[in-house]
Amino acid sequence: MTAPRPDSAAAPAPRATRPNGQWAVDGRTPLNANEVMKAEDNGLNVRERVEQVYAAGGFDSITADDLRGRLRWWGLYTQRKPGIDGGRTATLEPSELEDRYFMLRVRIDGGALTTGQLRTIGEASTEFARGSADVTDRQNIQLHWIRIEDVPEIWRRLEAVGLSTTETAGDVSRVILGSPVAGIAADEIIDPSWAIGELARRFIGDPELANLPRKYKTAITGHPSQDVLHEINDVAFVGVVHPELGPGFDLWVGGGLSVAPRLGERLGAFVSEERVPEVWLAVTQLFRDYGYRRLRNKARMKFLLADWGPAWLRTVLEDEFLGYPLPDGPAAPQPTRSGDHVGVHEQKDGRFYIGAAPYVGRVSGPSLSAVADLADSVGSHRVRLTPYQKLLVLDVPAERVQDVVTGLRANGLEAEPSPFRRATIACTGIEYCKFAIVETKATAIGAIDELESRLGDLPALTPISLHLNGCPNSCARIQTADIGLKGQLVMDDDGKQVPGYQVHLGGGLASPDRAEAGLGRTVRGLKVTADGAATYVERIVRRYVADRQVTATGFEPFGVWAHRADVDALQ
């Protein structure tokens, strides 16, 4: 197969003088150390060594290429050694930064859990992870302080209830984001549950798909809120009604953030429900065979899309991988309501689901077990996680709604949160992450408490998203937040280097207030210290409230104001 990028639809460009490591163009000779590691042994094969060698021999028995490479295929990352400040993150070797403990990521495709599964995770956290647990913005749960000696037993318990850690990290298909209200929402366009289940069953753990150029993110929703961040995933399926073919999905590709953010694009193709697995497989194989492998920082789908364009990518997809053309299809309409699903909402069967916000995803093993018990006590046996670090309890009878709201609150989850608790997310940060430069979770929690107190005189304030990230990699999606804070070292008023953030303003994904996604604005030199983050957010919110214009539908959204405001107003 050869499909070079065209300069136009008619004339393909000449092949690059230097190979990019595209398997279908340049062959499979590895062009960097990471590709060598993957070529020498499939990452999935490390499981046997964990069970037969490393669990018995302990941390020191793990080879370097497994420790910092293949263990990720099973969700294991070494966590940051305590006490290493952010100024040393870029100067120390991995062996100097890493602790002898691991973060373990539990795969939860579509965010769907039974109460039994949630309880198993809670018990594993309590017994093996010092009670730690974080709900991530990819619908996973992460545990910390994991010893390699305990990993086989954790796997055994998770797999006994239908969970796994397979391919939750590494150059593979990561967890499949799915609508948290799949199958229960009264206004759902199409239920994506079958498609998500088929993808997970057929393709996760497949050795033929376990060596991709880099990580590969999937999102599928059939809800009109478009609640899975489709614009920033490598491949996404968005519920839509075709005027002739009925309900199905609009196909998107090539989204991603990090240090080179790019929003995904529609291919203009309509995908029926039954064809989602084969179309997903074709897009994934296209990425595997044509994705750039020579440079790690160019190895995501978004770079291939940028070079090829959506029309040529669709042509290659249909001609070389599917073998048939997809029908053209319409774009999904603008979202009708918030996709975080916080609050009390009626299901299509007359029962209710309740969405609650922890503090920036931070929960615990005991609290997860307690939520499982709470749900069981009212006859609910299902919970779901969201890409906004929230948790939903499903199937609650009307007469037990208040009991669940109260019980969730007692366990640190708020179904009636303040605007800032509702709309703030944070990555792992320097507490555990080897890439981080600054703290995030504690800073975000402190900022929420401060803002609730300081902005209490603005009772009609709608949620303004605040995202904190500990480094430039944007795990917390700083470029698509109203206010995004990217961790770095900054100078305080005394000229001292301290933890802080670069500010991004006015980003956002498609929402009821925003027809299309857009990246945030940066202002040259606009940085805040970590200690001053809450003060800055208070100041900018008050300026927005004072300056915002009235439109036909209400006040202009924060993002609109942030992009039109004078630089001085954003300081």
Side-chain angles (χ1 to χ4, degrees):
M1 292 184 291
T2 57
R5 174 188 64 83
D7 286 337
S8 69
R15 178 174 164 178
T17 57
R18 188 174 185 182
N20 282 314
Q22 297 170 282
W23 281 3
V25 178
D26 304 310
R28 297 197 179 193
T29 300
L31 299 181
N32 60 49
N34 197 75
E35 289 297 311
V36 169
M37 178 270 294
K38 291 188 291 180
E40 288 177 343
D41 188 28
N42 191 296
L44 294 173
N45 294 337
V46 77
R47 174 162 180 157
E48 182 177 1
R49 293 191 288 278
V50 172
E51 294 175 324
Q52 301 299 324
V53 179
Y54 302 150
F59 187 88
D60 291 332
S61 68
I62 307 172
T63 62
D65 52 354
D66 282 348
L67 181 65
R68 302 181 191 100
R70 301 184 190 93
L71 285 181
R72 297 179 182 184
W73 271 243
W74 291 93
L76 287 158
Y77 285 92
T78 51
Q79 67 187 39
R80 188 187 190 94
K81 188 179 298 181
I84 299 177
D85 64 74
R88 302 172 67 196
T89 297
T91 63
L92 296 179
E93 294 296 323
S95 60
E96 298 174 295
L97 278 169
E98 65 195 6
D99 206 348
R100 298 169 68 85
Y101 297 93
F102 294 87
M103 178 271 285
L104 179 64
R105 187 177 288 155
V106 181
R107 185 181 190 107
I108 306 168
D109 291 301
L113 290 165
T114 67
T115 50
Q117 290 172 327
L118 185 66
R119 187 177 293 107
T120 295
I121 297 171
E123 291 171 350
S125 165
T126 301
E127 186 169 345
F128 301 111
R130 303 186 186 182
S132 66
D134 288 330
V135 177
T136 77
D137 58 7
R138 294 226 28 111
Q139 294 178 302
N140 297 303
I141 292 179
Q142 292 181 174
L143 308 179
H144 299 281
W145 300 109
I146 299 296
R147 301 186 318 140
I148 195 68
E149 292 90 340
D150 297 324
V151 170
E153 175 61 16
I154 296 171
W155 281 340
R156 186 191 69 77
R157 295 189 190 188
L158 292 174
E159 290 166 3
V161 295
L163 294 173
S164 81
T165 69
T166 312
E167 296 186 359
T168 51
D171 295 350
V172 291
S173 175
R174 304 290 183 90
V175 66
I176 302 162
L177 293 188
S179 173
V181 296
I184 65 167
D187 54 348
E188 187 173 51
I189 298 167
I190 184 171
D191 181 358
S193 301
W194 173 84
I196 294 170
E198 280 294 286
L199 295 186
R201 181 183 66 82
R202 291 172 56 183
F203 304 125
I204 303 309
D206 181 351
E208 292 299 313
L209 300 174
N211 181 357
L212 302 179
R214 275 202 69 187
K215 58 186 173 183
Y216 182 70
K217 297 181 178 181
T218 303
I220 309 179
T221 184
H223 193 263
S225 66
Q226 299 175 15
D227 47 7
V228 295
L229 326 171
H230 65 277
E231 304 99 326
I232 57 172
N233 279 263
D234 295 281
V235 61
F237 300 82
V238 182
V240 68
V241 178
H242 192 285
E244 299 172 356
L245 302 174
F249 298 94
D250 186 29
L251 179 60
W252 287 66
V253 299
L257 296 179
S258 193
V259 295
R262 193 181 198 281
L263 297 173
E265 296 188 51
R266 298 181 59 236
L267 294 190
F270 177 81
V271 182
S272 59
E273 179 184 20
E274 68 274 11
R275 283 187 169 173
V276 168
E278 62 194 69
V279 172
W280 180 92
L281 176 61
V283 176
T284 307
Q285 291 172 326
L286 184 155
F287 175 56
R288 179 194 64 191
D289 295 349
Y290 282 110
Y292 305 139
R293 292 174 181 261
R294 181 171 64 86
L295 299 176
R296 294 283 289 171
N297 62 357
K298 298 288 186 181
R300 293 290 300 276
M301 174 71 91
K302 61 186 176 183
F303 295 101
L304 188 65
L305 177 67
D307 284 350
W308 282 11
W312 183 250
L313 195 146
R314 179 175 173 179
T315 297
V316 176
L317 174 70
E318 293 173 340
D319 291 353
E320 296 190 16
F321 293 91
L322 277 175
Y324 59 83
L326 293 167
D328 293 338
Q334 184 173 348
T336 56
R337 63 181 175 89
S338 170
D340 69 3
H341 303 297
V342 169
V344 178
H345 304 270
E346 188 171 4
Q347 300 177 180
K348 62 184 180 183
D349 63 3
R351 292 180 292 179
F352 291 81
Y353 69 88
I354 301 170
Y359 273 113
V360 292
R362 178 57 50 89
V363 286
S364 70
S367 70
L368 294 178
S369 297
V371 169
D373 293 343
L374 171 67
D376 283 343
S377 74
V378 300
S380 164
H381 304 293
R382 295 192 294 170
V383 299
R384 288 190 180 156
L385 309 179
T386 84
Y388 295 87
Q389 298 181 332
K390 309 297 186 287
L391 182 147
L392 278 56
V393 178
L394 310 188
D395 308 327
V396 180
E399 66 274 13
R400 302 302 303 273
V401 165
Q402 191 54 50
D403 294 336
V404 173
V405 170
T406 302
L408 288 170
R409 182 176 296 136
N411 286 286
L413 295 127
E414 182 54 68
E416 301 169 331
S418 70
F420 283 101
R421 181 159 177 181
R422 177 172 183 170
T424 300
I425 69 173
C427 74
T428 300
I430 203 169
E431 181 179 11
Y432 297 119
C433 179
K434 300 190 299 294
F435 302 111
I437 301 168
V438 302
E439 166 57 41
T440 54
K441 295 286 189 184
T443 300
I445 292 169
I448 291 169
D449 291 342
E450 286 289 322
L451 293 168
E452 287 175 344
S453 173
R454 296 182 187 186
L455 297 175
D457 60 327
L458 301 175
L461 189 66
T462 55
I464 295 173
S465 56
L466 172 63
H467 295 188
L468 289 83
N469 212 78
C471 76
N473 289 332
S474 202
C475 296
R477 312 194 298 265
I478 51 174
Q479 297 100 333
T480 58
D482 286 317
I483 305 172
L485 301 180
K486 179 175 73 178
Q488 58 182 232
L489 298 179
V490 303
M491 304 300 289
D492 66 11
D493 292 339
D494 297 324
K496 181 181 178 182
Q497 194 175 62
V498 297
Y501 304 92
Q502 181 187 46
V503 179
H504 296 249
L505 295 168
L509 303 178
S511 70
D513 296 326
R514 187 175 197 134
E516 296 182 349
L519 300 176
R521 170 187 183 185
T522 57
V523 176
R524 183 177 178 85
L526 181 51
K527 301 174 183 179
V528 299
T529 66
D531 289 345
T535 298
Y536 173 77
V537 174
E538 178 192 7
R539 184 166 67 247
I540 202 74
V541 169
R542 289 194 181 277
R543 285 178 180 166
Y544 157 66
V545 170
D547 295 346
R548 62 188 177 182
Q549 297 176 352
V550 178
T551 69
T553 57
F555 292 115
E556 70 177 331
F558 181 92
V560 174
W561 171 81
H563 277 282
R564 72 167 178 82
D566 292 337
V567 170
D568 289 346
L570 304 178
Q571 300 296 322

